[in-house]
Amino acid sequence: MVRYLGRRVLILLPSLLLVSMLTFVMIRSAGGDPAELRLGLHASPESLARVRREMGLTDPWPVQYVRWLGGALGGDLGRSYLTGSSVTDEILQRFPATLELALSSMLIAVPLGIAAGTISAVRARTVVDNVSMLGGLVGISIPTFWLGVMLIIVFAVWLGWVPVAGSTDVHLGIYPITKFSLIDGFLEDGWDGLWDAARHLVLPAVTLAGWPMAILARHMRSSLLEVLHQDYTRTGRAKGLRFVRLVWRHAFPNALIPVVTVAALETGYLLGGAVITETVFAWPGVGNLTIQALASRDYMLVQGAVLLFAVVFALLNVLADVTYAVLDPRIRY
Amino acid sequence: MLSSTREFATNALPPTQQRRARSRFARWLRQVSPSGWTGGVLLAALCLVAVAGPAVTGNPLAMNVPARLQPPSPQHLMGTDEFGRDILTRVVHGARISLGAGVGVVVVGLGIGLLFGLVAAYRGGAFALAAMSFVDIMLALPGVLLAIVIAALLSPRLGTAIVAVGIVTIPYYARLVWGVTQTVRLREYVEAARAAGASDFRILGRHLLPGVLPPALVQATLGVGNGILSVSALSFLGVGAQPPTPEWGLMLSQAQRFILVAPYLGIFPGLGIMLAVLSFNLIGDSMHDLVDPVLAASVRR
C-alpha cells in the first residue's frame, strides 16, 4: 500500500513540473510589462529599466523559471507584480475561504446525491426515479452562475432571508483568526457570529453543490443498479433476505465504492467551479483572487494560484485512486 | 448501464412488426427513448430560433434609453435592459451565438483530440507516449480554470473563449479515442486490411475511424452542451464575449449589477443556456444508451 501510494505521488511530480512550465511559458508569452504595471504609464524609461532589473525580468526565461521553481519548492511563489506583496501570503490568506466553501458544498452534495441515486435505483423506472433523474439532468445542465444569481434573487432580494454577497458582515472578519468564516464568526461574536457566517455561506454552498450532487446521484443510481443485478444479490433474494436488508447490507456498500472515487474527483472540479461561484457571491477565496489577478494582469499571482489548484486537484486524483484501491479488495496495487 | 440493456431486450419486436419497420433508420428511431425525443424537439426549436429568430426580432443593439430597465410587458415580453434594449431580441440573437459557440468548441476539441488519439494509438511508440503523457497532464488540471487563464491571456473575445474551452476538452476526446482505437486496432480485420496492402491512411480512415466514431459522437453531443456552458461561464467572468454582444453569459453578468432594481433581467438568458445544454444532454444520454453500453461507462465521467 505504501509503495503504491509512493509510486502514485512520484508520477505526480513530473506532471506538476510540466504544468508549472506550461503556465510559466503561457503567461510569459502573453506579454505585458510588469514594471509598467508597478510604476504606471508615466514612469521614465530609466526607472522602468531599473524595476525590470530588480524584478529579475531581464534574465532569460529559463533562468527566471528555475528561480521561480526554486522558490516555489521552498514555499515562495514570488512577489505580486501589482502590490509587491508575497504571492504565497496572498493565496494562504484566501485559501481557507475556498476550502470552507468547497467542503460545505460537498457536505450538502454527497449525502443528498447518494440518497437521490439510491432511491432512484431501488425504485428504478417509476415516477420517483424519473423525477429524480430529470432533476439530475437539470443539475448538470444549469449554469452555476445562473443558479447563483437566481438563488440571490429569490432568497436574498425577495425573501430577504440571507445577505446578497460576501462572507461576513462588515464588523466581523477585520482580524481573522483562523480565516474560516464560521469559526471566526463564532470566536468573535459567539453564536450570533456563527449564525451570521452561516447565513453568508449557505447560498454559495448550495450553488456550488448543484453540479456534484447531480453527478453523484447519476453515478450512484447506475452503480447500485449494476450491483442489484449481480448474482450475489439474486442469491440473497433467493435465500429470503428482506429487500431493505439486502439493499442496505449487501448492495449499498459495494455500490458506494465507485461513487466515493467520483466524490473525490468532484471535489477537485468543485475548486474549478469555485472560481465562478466566488465571483457571483464576492466570496473572498482563491478563485475570486485569480479572476482579479487576471483582470489586473498580475501574472505572478495567477501563476501561483494555478499551481495551487493543480496541486490540490492532482492530490485529490491520487486520493480517489487510493480510496478505490483500499475499498475494493479486487483491485491489486 | 443496466437500464439500457433491459431496454434493448424489450425492444426486440415481434416478427410482424419487424417486417413493418422497413429500414434500419426506422428501427433506430424506435429505439430512441422519450427523453431523446424531448431533447430533439427542444434542440429543433432552439435551432429554429437561432436561424430564423434574428430576422424576425430585429437589431439586438438598438438602444432606447427612455425605456430602460422596464419589467416584462406586451411591448417588451422579457423587459428591457439598462440601455433600453429589448431582452427578447437579445436572447434570440444569443441562441445563435451560443449554439455556434458550442459547436465551435467541439470542432476544436474533437478535431484535434480525434487526430491525436487515433494516430497515437495506431503508431504507438515514442509519439504515443509523449502525446498521451501530455493528455494526462492536461487532465490533471481543473479544466474551467485552465480555459479561463488561456482565454484571458489570449485577449478576451468570444472567439478566443471558444478556442480556449476547445483546447481544454482535447484530452477528453484524445483519451477516449485512444482507448477505443487500442481495442480495435488488434482485430483481425485490421490485420487483414494490412495484409491486403492497405496504406496506413486507408486503415485509419476506413477501418479504425468507423469503430471510433460512435462513442466519439456521443461524447461530442454532450460536449456541445458543456461547451455552451463553459463559454457562457467565461463570458460571465469577463474573459469571453465583450459588450455589447448579446451573449447569454455576458448578459447575465451585466444583469447581476441590476439585481436589486431589475431582478427579471437575469432570468431569460440563463434559462436559454439551461435549455440549450439540457437538450444536448438529453440527446447525448439517449445516444449513449444506443451505442455500445459497455463503452458508455467511459464516455460519462
Side-chain angles (χ1 to χ4, degrees):
Chain A
M1 186 68 233
V2 174
R3 278 187 58 193
Y4 172 72
L5 192 66
R7 208 164 59 226
R8 277 308 316 256
V9 174
L10 273 182
I11 296 172
L12 211 68
L13 291 178
S15 48
L16 283 179
L17 198 69
L18 267 164
V19 164
S20 72
M21 266 186 221
L22 220 62
T23 5
F24 188 89
V25 171
M26 246 164 52
I27 283 173
R28 286 310 132 106
S29 33
D33 186 355
E36 202 177 281
L37 197 68
R38 176 82 61 85
L39 296 178
L41 284 171
H42 303 296
S44 67
E46 296 81 40
S47 47
L48 279 174
R50 184 172 47 79
V51 169
R52 266 189 220 116
R53 234 186 351 267
E54 276 171 17
M55 291 166 92
L57 292 165
T58 44
D59 297 327
W61 280 10
V63 175
Q64 290 188 39
Y65 172 71
V66 170
R67 191 167 50 221
W68 178 77
L69 187 71
L73 289 176
D76 174 16
L77 292 168
R79 306 216 150 260
S80 155
Y81 284 164
L82 200 61
T83 60
S85 57
S86 156
V87 169
T88 314
D89 285 352
E90 294 245 3
I91 290 177
L92 284 182
Q93 286 285 335
R94 304 290 203 100
F95 190 59
T98 298
L99 198 64
E100 183 176 40
L101 180 58
L103 289 179
S104 317
S105 294
M106 282 321 268
L107 225 55
I108 298 170
V110 171
L112 289 183
I114 288 178
T118 306
I119 293 168
S120 255
V122 172
R123 297 261 171 274
R125 303 191 165 262
T126 62
V127 177
V128 181
D129 179 29
N130 287 338
V131 168
S132 139
M133 281 304 106
L134 186 68
L137 215 52
V138 170
I140 61 168
S141 305
I142 202 165
T144 315
F145 45 94
W146 188 56
L147 181 62
V149 171
M150 287 298 112
L151 288 175
I152 292 176
I153 289 175
V154 174
F155 292 101
V157 178
W158 287 350
L159 296 172
W161 290 352
V162 290
V164 171
S167 71
T168 47
D169 279 345
V170 186
H171 68 283
L172 285 174
I174 302 169
Y175 303 108
I177 304 156
T178 60
K179 302 184 196 81
F180 288 95
S181 69
L182 287 176
I183 301 174
D184 280 351
F186 182 70
L187 289 179
E188 282 177 38
D189 247 10
W191 294 110
D192 287 347
L194 183 71
W195 175 238
D196 173 70
R199 277 170 26 123
H200 282 87
L201 180 59
V202 63
L203 281 196
V206 169
T207 304
L208 195 53
W211 165 274
M213 188 162 83
I215 295 275
L216 283 172
R218 288 163 66 92
H219 275 275
M220 188 66 211
R221 178 181 183 269
S222 64
S223 172
L224 188 56
L225 269 179
E226 203 172 307
V227 171
L228 283 176
H229 283 76
Q230 303 235 321
D231 289 345
Y232 67 84
T233 5
R234 194 162 353 109
T235 311
R237 262 337 251 288
K239 75 173 192 180
L241 273 180
R242 278 178 36 233
F243 187 65
V244 174
R245 189 179 162 80
L246 181 76
V247 170
W248 188 243
R249 286 294 301 274
H250 297 266
F252 186 73
N254 287 323
L256 212 53
I257 294 171
V259 176
V260 170
T261 314
V262 174
L265 288 176
E266 280 309 314
T267 314
Y269 287 100
L270 212 67
L271 291 171
V275 176
I276 297 163
T277 310
E278 283 178 6
T279 307
V280 175
F281 289 94
W283 188 258
V286 186
N288 206 341
L289 182 72
T290 313
I291 296 296
Q292 283 167 10
L294 274 171
S296 58
R297 301 185 149 260
D298 190 349
Y299 292 147
M300 203 53 135
L301 195 49
V302 174
Q303 207 169 308
V306 170
L307 188 69
L308 173 85
F309 277 118
V311 169
V312 174
F313 194 79
L315 285 178
L316 283 166
N317 270 304
V318 173
L319 183 74
D321 284 358
V322 171
T323 43
Y324 200 87
V326 170
L327 290 178
D328 192 340
R330 286 171 303 184
I331 302 281
R332 295 263 158 270
Y333 44 80
Chain B
M1 221 191 262
L2 268 155
S3 55
S4 58
T5 50
R6 190 192 287 175
E7 202 161 295
F8 275 120
T10 52
N11 272 336
L13 304 169
T16 44
Q17 275 186 323
Q18 225 160 29
R19 243 173 283 128
R20 226 174 296 152
R22 280 190 208 93
S23 62
R24 274 176 68 192
F25 183 65
R27 248 201 320 275
W28 179 79
L29 280 184
R30 279 169 189 280
Q31 289 181 347
V32 175
S33 58
S35 62
W37 282 111
T38 317
V41 170
L42 204 56
L43 181 61
L46 278 169
C47 285
L48 186 71
V49 168
V51 172
V56 179
T57 54
N59 184 2
L61 306 182
M63 297 189 196
N64 180 12
V65 178
R68 65 179 178 272
L69 292 176
Q70 282 185 359
S73 66
Q75 286 88 40
H76 302 284
L77 288 176
M78 296 180 183
T80 59
D81 68 5
E82 69 269 32
F83 299 112
R85 295 176 298 204
D86 181 46
I87 305 274
L88 174 65
T89 309
R90 292 176 65 75
V91 168
V92 164
H93 278 261
R96 181 179 280 186
I97 293 174
S98 278
L99 287 178
V103 173
V105 165
V106 169
V107 167
V108 174
L110 178 68
I112 302 177
L114 186 74
L115 200 69
F116 255 72
L118 261 183
V119 175
Y122 185 65
R123 287 295 298 275
F127 175 75
L129 191 69
M132 293 328 282
S133 306
F134 191 71
V135 162
D136 279 343
I137 289 163
M138 294 263 294
L139 286 174
L141 268 175
V144 178
L145 185 75
L146 199 61
I148 292 168
V149 173
I150 294 175
L153 295 180
L154 291 173
S155 89
R157 270 185 293 117
L158 180 63
T160 49
I162 294 172
V163 172
V165 175
I167 290 175
V168 171
T169 57
I170 292 173
Y172 293 95
Y173 295 105
R175 170 62 76 76
L176 174 77
V177 170
W178 184 73
V180 180
T181 314
Q182 285 284 15
T183 61
V184 177
R185 88 191 160 103
L186 297 175
R187 300 258 170 89
E188 278 93 352
Y189 68 83
V190 178
E191 209 173 320
R194 193 173 298 129
S199 66
D200 281 354
F201 193 70
R202 191 181 164 84
I203 292 176
L204 277 175
R206 289 295 298 271
H207 300 283
L208 294 180
L209 195 60
V212 170
L213 229 38
L217 284 181
V218 174
Q219 175 87 321
T221 308
L222 297 168
V224 177
N226 283 329
I228 293 174
L229 210 52
S230 302
V231 170
S232 65
L234 261 59
S235 298
F236 180 83
L237 292 173
V239 294
Q242 297 298 316
T245 318
E247 203 274 345
W248 288 339
L250 180 64
M251 287 171 72
L252 257 168
S253 108
Q254 290 168 326
Q256 210 195 347
R257 286 185 285 144
F258 298 93
I259 200 168
L260 293 173
V261 281
Y264 53 85
L265 274 181
I267 295 175
F268 298 104
L271 206 60
I273 302 174
M274 195 189 82
L275 288 179
V277 179
L278 186 65
S279 71
F280 283 103
N281 280 336
L282 284 166
I283 297 170
D285 262 15
S286 74
M287 266 169 77
H288 122 306
D289 283 354
L290 289 179
V291 177
D292 193 343
V294 180
L295 275 170
S298 66
V299 174
R300 270 248 157 253
R301 181 163 59 75

